[in-house]
Amino acid sequence: MKLISLAEVRDKIKNLVQEANFVLQEDVQTALETMEKLEESPAGLEVFRQLKENALIAREEKLGICQDTGLAVFLVEMGEEIQFKKDDGLSSLREAINEGTRQGYAEGYLRKSVVEDPIRRKNTSDNTPAFIHWEVVPGDVFKVTFIAKGGGAENMSAIRMFAPAAGLEGIEDFVVETVDKAGSNPCPPIIVGVGIGGNFEYVAWLAKKALLRRPLGSHHPDPFYAEMERRLLERINKLGIGPQGMGGRVTALAVHVEVFPCHIASMPAAVNIECHAHRVLSFEL
Ligand code: SF4
């Protein structure tokens, strides 16, 4: 059994949420540089220039890449051979993750974006609770992946329960239609997470996982879905929305697809839209 200190988890989370918000990761920077070469509209090119300058200032001055520092969403992959040491007053892994989030958002002067009730809307003032997805895996792996998920892009996401007869074409049309309807709202150039399969609740998580699991620039390991990703990216970039909705050839930097088995009568699909401020970072202990 591997023993992991909850205080160490808290401290790692505290640093993780800050670094993700201050430093645009290499895969996102590379994707911006690659896609900038395809842009032809002067306004679109100016947006790319500003995004790169913004990322530089954020990194150097330790400022949020965006004022919307997002909900703190975590994927925790936890081996069956792990135990946690309750230390420094922490009694559970959930508490350690929430405490790390609280301390990281406070220390980094990152905006607190969580309300404790969806209707009455009082801010919790510390960006908790964190949104934690747990996956139990074999062995002694302990990996935490964080995404700071801004509200503007999340609001433009969609889910639809298709009958299998809709086929691949039905799903691809739904993805393109969702991006088209979103227009400039999710701060393009965007990243499109697509979930297919599972059931109603699971497909939404698949779409989010599509944003977390793989770095930008990679493709689905199954050539069938890799081809679907390429086709969707091409269709989306023909919509002409362009960087920040200014018009142009680059509306999306990437499309990532995740799939799962499903019921014989269903074909669920979900689209989780992510903005250019793609703040994903992980650590392992
Ligand atoms: S959608 Fe993204 S870039 Fe736009 S305001 Fe929200 S977090 Fe910032």
Side-chain angles (χ1 to χ4, degrees):
M1 279 285 172
K2 190 200 262 184
L3 192 63
I4 293 178
S5 147
L6 289 178
E8 189 178 0
V9 173
R10 175 201 60 205
D11 294 345
K12 285 274 188 191
I13 299 271
K14 179 175 79 171
N15 295 332
L16 183 80
V17 299
Q18 293 184 70
E19 195 186 336
N21 270 292
F22 299 152
V23 182
L24 198 65
Q25 297 301 300
E26 215 176 300
D27 63 323
V28 190
Q29 291 193 48
T30 305
L32 284 172
E33 272 156 26
T34 308
M35 297 305 276
E36 184 183 11
K37 294 190 184 112
L38 302 179
E39 189 53 76
E40 287 171 345
S41 104
L45 285 167
E46 174 57 19
V47 170
F48 273 108
R49 192 196 63 72
Q50 288 182 10
L51 293 182
K52 287 194 294 182
E53 187 185 4
N54 180 64
L56 189 69
I57 295 169
R59 186 170 68 235
E60 285 178 353
E61 311 270 332
K62 290 194 184 304
L63 295 167
I65 295 162
C66 180
Q67 46 74 35
D68 182 351
T69 52
L71 293 182
V73 180
F74 294 91
L75 164 61
V76 179
E77 292 163 277
M78 202 163 43
E80 287 158 341
E81 294 161 25
I82 290 180
Q83 282 188 342
F84 292 97
K85 187 171 150 215
K86 297 179 179 178
D87 50 1
D88 217 3
L90 297 164
S91 59
S92 71
L93 181 56
R94 184 183 295 278
E95 193 184 345
I97 294 171
N98 274 311
E99 190 53 34
T101 301
R102 182 177 293 120
Q103 291 186 11
Y105 271 76
E107 195 177 285
Y109 298 101
L110 300 169
R111 195 184 81 182
K112 319 301 181 293
S113 305
V114 182
V115 290
E116 65 185 21
D117 180 285
I119 309 293
R120 289 168 290 183
R121 309 200 69 81
K122 181 174 180 289
N123 199 300
T124 62
S125 306
D126 60 6
N127 221 53
T128 69
F131 293 72
I132 311 171
H133 302 271
W134 311 96
E135 287 196 357
V136 178
V137 296
D140 63 0
V141 177
F142 181 70
K143 181 174 180 188
V144 178
T145 304
F146 166 73
I147 180 169
K149 196 69 178 72
E154 194 77 353
N155 284 353
M156 305 320 294
S157 302
I159 186 168
R160 193 174 294 172
M161 299 300 289
F162 286 95
L168 180 62
E169 203 185 322
I171 291 185
E172 291 192 2
D173 287 350
F174 166 59
V175 175
V176 176
E177 180 193 302
T178 303
V179 173
D180 197 19
K181 256 200 237 161
S184 64
N185 291 308
C187 300
I190 56 172
I191 297 140
V192 185
V194 180
I196 310 169
N199 59 5
F200 183 75
E201 81 277 8
Y202 198 73
V203 75
W205 169 231
L206 282 176
K208 176 76 86 259
K209 232 163 57 164
L211 300 172
L212 293 174
R213 269 285 162 81
R214 286 188 277 127
L216 301 188
S218 64
H219 298 288
H220 197 284
D222 180 338
F224 176 82
Y225 288 111
E227 191 45 44
M228 182 183 184
E229 290 176 347
R230 282 196 200 93
R231 216 169 32 243
L232 280 169
L233 184 61
E234 201 181 317
R235 280 185 68 183
I236 287 167
N237 282 335
K238 279 187 181 153
L239 290 172
I241 297 166
Q244 292 295 321
M246 301 283 197
R249 294 184 62 183
V250 183
T251 298
L253 300 176
V255 177
H256 285 185
V257 173
E258 282 276 321
V259 296
F260 201 74
C262 63
H263 193 279
I264 50 169
S266 316
M267 194 170 63
V271 181
N272 194 195
I273 298 187
E274 165 76 321
C275 56
H276 63 78
H278 183 50
R279 296 150 295 181
V280 173
L281 201 56
S282 5
F283 70 82
E284 284 185 58
L285 287 176

